Amino acid sequence: MRNVALVLFCAIASGFGQGAQPAATPSIVYAVRDPAAIKGYKTNPRVVRAMVNRLVLAATGQPDVARAWGSLVSPSDKIGIKISAAGGELFTTHHDVVDAIVDGLVAAGHPRGSIIVWDRSLGGIKGAGYRTGVDGYQLKAIAPHTGYDPKAVLSAPLIGKLIWGDLDYRSYEGKMPLLSDSENTSNVSHFSKIISTEVTKIINVPVMSSSEMNGIAGCIYNVTIPNIDNWRRFAQGSRFGAESLAEIYGDPIIAKKVVFNLMDGLVAQYAGGPQSQPNYAVHHATLYASKDPVALDAVALRRLEEWRVRASLPPIGRTAAYIDFATQLGLGNSAPNRIEVRNIGR
């Protein structure tokens, strides 16, 4: 059992005035941009594949793609690729990006059929080009109620209202009066079975998007909020709610499994996310990668803020405070002077 305990929240809160403690060494965020990668929301598979390959080669320092992916995962690992499918046809993690990653993992010796590609819900993936049974890898959603692990528990002082699909939600289906709202609440969440037991290594592939409730739906968000039940309490804009995302990411169930972060910025969305809002989307034609999820989120947040300023939209940094908080927990670097953005070109 893993707990995000109240005592830890209090201890951390008391130390806010001490400032962020950066990771020991600066972090590198790799970026590759190619305008030919996407036009009219349609990707060029050949160009996208080359971009993904350049990123993993640069990030690992290996001479070929097979050894690059092989340096991140071992033959005995059960590999999961966490995508973002909340954006439907236009703004799901691009199919060509995932195909390039899977092909690299296969080249490193992993059977295609053993690789899990997942999100909480996969309702929009068909329109985004994914094909169950054709792609060769496993496409999985988290089953309501039964998809959560009763043994993988986290608790926090925030109380959330349970709804259908949460593991502890209680409904008597007409046999007895329904519970009152106050009775059907909990300060406990459960990790999905996929992330707790079905994968041992995670390739984290979020889209480059804002989040209306959490500032940015980036690397930290992508493996936390969509992978727990009773999650709505962490998406309410409160200070403890924001801090909780960093705490949840720091749990070994997540932090020790994520080995690579690749952010899909082929289309970037600076407002209204993570659901699709084309009025706030730009063809950015850029992919980012880093072993440091905090640094990558910090870089993406700064770019999203720039687009918001141009569109006369208010900043979102306050609701993304968990990025700086993650630095205090030693999860990575968020300060610009501790991050090198390395453009690797075509």
Side-chain angles (χ1 to χ4, degrees):
M1 181 176 295
R2 292 155 167 95
N3 294 315
V4 183
L6 175 59
V7 63
L8 184 54
F9 275 101
C10 294
I12 292 168
S14 68
F16 270 157
Q18 300 175 10
Q21 298 300 314
T25 57
S27 299
I28 301 174
V29 173
Y30 298 90
V32 57
R33 184 175 188 274
D34 192 330
I38 187 163
K39 294 181 180 179
Y41 290 101
K42 299 296 183 182
T43 54
N44 181 319
R46 179 187 59 80
V47 175
V48 171
R49 179 178 300 272
M51 293 168 73
V52 171
N53 289 347
R54 284 198 295 274
L55 284 174
V56 72
L57 288 171
T60 61
Q62 296 296 318
D64 60 64
V65 170
R67 278 185 277 190
W69 287 108
S71 71
L72 296 170
V73 295
S74 69
S76 61
D77 281 322
K78 298 181 289 184
I79 303 171
I81 300 174
K82 175 61 181 68
I83 65 171
S84 172
E89 178 181 355
L90 297 180
F91 209 56
T92 288
T93 301
H94 283 94
H95 183 240
D96 290 335
V97 172
V98 173
D99 272 358
I101 294 170
V102 171
D103 286 347
L105 292 168
V106 171
H110 292 270
R112 185 177 298 269
S114 70
I115 298 168
I116 296 173
V117 176
W118 93 99
D119 196 7
R120 184 195 305 278
S121 172
L122 296 178
I125 65 166
K126 185 175 181 181
Y130 293 84
R131 296 291 184 271
T132 302
V134 175
D135 288 327
Y137 41 81
Q138 301 177 52
L139 286 164
K140 287 192 174 186
I142 300 170
H145 186 73
T146 59
Y148 296 99
D149 187 343
K151 296 180 180 179
V153 178
L154 66 92
S155 62
L158 292 168
I159 301 295
K161 181 180 178 181
L162 300 176
I163 64 171
W164 181 86
D166 292 336
L167 182 62
D168 291 335
Y169 176 75
R170 292 167 289 177
S171 173
Y172 291 90
E173 299 177 345
K175 297 176 184 178
M176 293 177 61
L178 289 175
L179 297 171
S180 68
D181 285 348
S182 62
E183 289 175 301
N184 228 346
T185 60
S186 177
N187 68 344
V188 169
S189 294
H190 303 85
F191 288 100
S192 71
K193 290 178 180 177
I194 294 174
I195 206 166
S196 69
T197 62
E198 295 183 29
V199 301
T200 60
K201 291 292 188 295
I202 298 168
I203 312 298
N204 187 18
V205 196
V207 293
M208 189 176 183
S209 173
S210 67
S211 165
E212 288 301 294
M213 301 305 295
N214 295 102
I216 175 174
C219 299
I220 295 173
Y221 175 100
N222 196 50
V223 287
T224 55
I225 292 292
N227 279 298
I228 58 174
D229 69 350
N230 193 19
W231 57 269
R232 293 154 297 279
R233 61 200 175 119
F234 301 123
Q236 298 170 356
S238 71
R239 193 183 80 176
F240 276 134
E243 294 164 9
S244 294
L245 268 69
E247 289 282 356
I248 296 166
Y249 188 99
D251 190 290
I253 278 182
I254 296 175
K256 289 188 176 180
K257 293 183 178 182
V258 177
V259 294
F260 195 60
N261 303 277
L262 195 159
M263 182 174 286
D264 181 351
L266 296 178
V267 179
Q269 185 169 296
Y270 55 88
Q275 288 73 33
S276 178
Q277 296 288 344
N279 288 338
Y280 300 116
V282 295
H283 277 46
H284 189 39
T286 305
L287 299 178
Y288 298 86
S290 182
K291 294 182 180 180
D292 182 341
V294 184
L296 183 42
D297 277 358
V299 168
L301 176 61
R302 287 196 291 273
R303 192 60 191 266
L304 293 173
E305 294 280 42
E306 291 172 2
W307 285 318
R308 291 177 69 87
V309 168
R310 295 175 191 172
S312 299
L313 294 171
I316 52 177
R318 183 186 63 83
T319 50
Y322 59 87
I323 297 175
D324 287 336
F325 188 70
T327 297
Q328 296 187 36
L329 298 183
L331 298 175
N333 289 303
S334 61
N337 65 350
R338 303 292 298 175
I339 301 170
E340 177 189 349
V341 178
R342 191 172 295 177
N343 295 295
I344 57 177
R346 300 189 188 185

